[in-house]
């Protein structure tokens, strides 16, 4: 009898706990309610929305709520001005089913000084939003010079010196918000580093004049 009780106790201790919702990849194709936000890796490309500058593909990350949507490039080679991953490559308001997307963002990424960007080596879904209503994604990596600047000035390795920086971009999108918060953490690994933080945004200037805040292209 004693052996049987011990066996039952051990079995109970080894029973796996239910999987947390935060470890799941949510369905990124569904329209969300005002109290919802989601983020995850794109496995179904119908979750993407298109547009003149649309670049996102399967394996990239989508973060969205019922108002706005953004695509974060995975650590892969990009096809526009900046090849590195970890930055916003598509953005749009949420549109009715069947209405074409109107993305005009080529790249949008923070800078640690002029032309010093994140070269993402990993991307982590910190909170997929299923339980909390807040979607959080973090891209981590190291600094890299903007090749577009170095190439234009024919000065590779001269204009943008390597400061040995680690860089993190954390993207935070609450439910029912028009705005996505971006928190950037820069850590100097080898030496003291002085720089002015900034942003760079490449987009389709020929159609940007048609775009309106909070409405995108809905007015045309």
């Amino acid at each position: 009898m004693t052996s049987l009780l011990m066996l039952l106790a051990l079995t109970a201790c080894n029973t796996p706990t239910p999987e947390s919702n935060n470890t799941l990849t949510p369905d990124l194709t569904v329209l969300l309610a005002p109290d919802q936000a989601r983020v995850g890796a794109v496995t179904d490309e119908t979750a993407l929305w298109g547009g003149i500058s649309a670049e996102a593909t399967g394996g990239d990350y989508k973060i969205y709520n019922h108002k706005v949507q953004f695509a974060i490039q995975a650590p892969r080679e990009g096809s526009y001005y900046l090849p590195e991953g970890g930055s916003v490559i598509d953005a749009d308001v949420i549109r009715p089913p069947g209405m074409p997307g109107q993305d005009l963002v080529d790249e949008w990424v923070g800078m640690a000084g002029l032309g010093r960007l994140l070269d993402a080596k990993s991307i982590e879904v910190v909170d997929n939003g299923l339980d909390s209503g807040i979607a959080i994604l973090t891209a981590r990596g190291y600094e890299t010079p903007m090749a577009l600047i170095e190439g234009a000035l024919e000065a590779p390795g001269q204009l943008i010196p390597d400061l040995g920086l680690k860089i993190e971009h954390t993207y935070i999108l609450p439910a029912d918000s028009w705005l996505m918060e971006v928190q950037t953490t820069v850590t100097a690994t080898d030496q003291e580093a002085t720089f002015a933080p900034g942003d760079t945004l490449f987009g389709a200037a020929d159609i940007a004049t048609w775009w309106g805040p909070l409405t995108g292209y809905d007015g045309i």
Side-chain angles (χ1 to χ4, degrees), residues 45-180:
E45 294 193 10
T46 63
L48 304 173
W49 52 95
I52 192 170
S53 294
E55 181 186 354
T57 187
D60 291 333
Y61 291 80
K62 177 181 177 180
I63 180 169
Y64 74 118
N65 57 23
H66 83 115
K67 291 181 175 179
V68 290
Q69 52 192 346
F70 303 88
I72 313 298
Q73 183 179 308
R76 63 171 178 84
E77 190 78 6
S79 59
Y80 277 112
Y81 298 105
L82 308 179
E84 297 83 14
S87 63
V88 176
I89 52 174
D90 295 338
D92 199 2
V93 297
I94 298 294
R95 302 179 183 278
M99 180 178 290
Q102 294 285 0
D103 168 56
L104 61 80
V105 174
D106 292 333
E107 276 92 15
W108 165 44
V109 63
M111 293 191 299
L114 177 63
R116 191 174 289 108
L117 309 174
L118 166 68
D119 182 9
K121 301 302 182 184
S122 66
I123 294 184
E124 176 190 3
V125 175
V126 179
D127 192 329
N128 61 16
L130 283 169
D131 293 325
S132 65
I134 301 177
I136 305 175
L137 183 78
T138 296
R140 298 183 177 91
Y142 299 89
E143 65 169 285
T144 189
M146 186 186 294
L148 190 64
I149 293 178
E150 291 194 325
L153 299 178
E154 298 183 352
Q158 301 174 37
L159 182 64
I160 309 171
D162 191 328
L163 299 179
L165 303 179
K166 289 183 178 179
I167 301 177
E168 291 186 7
H169 294 319
T170 296
Y171 302 96
I172 304 169
L173 182 64
D176 203 34
S177 174
W178 287 105
L179 303 176
M180 179 172 66

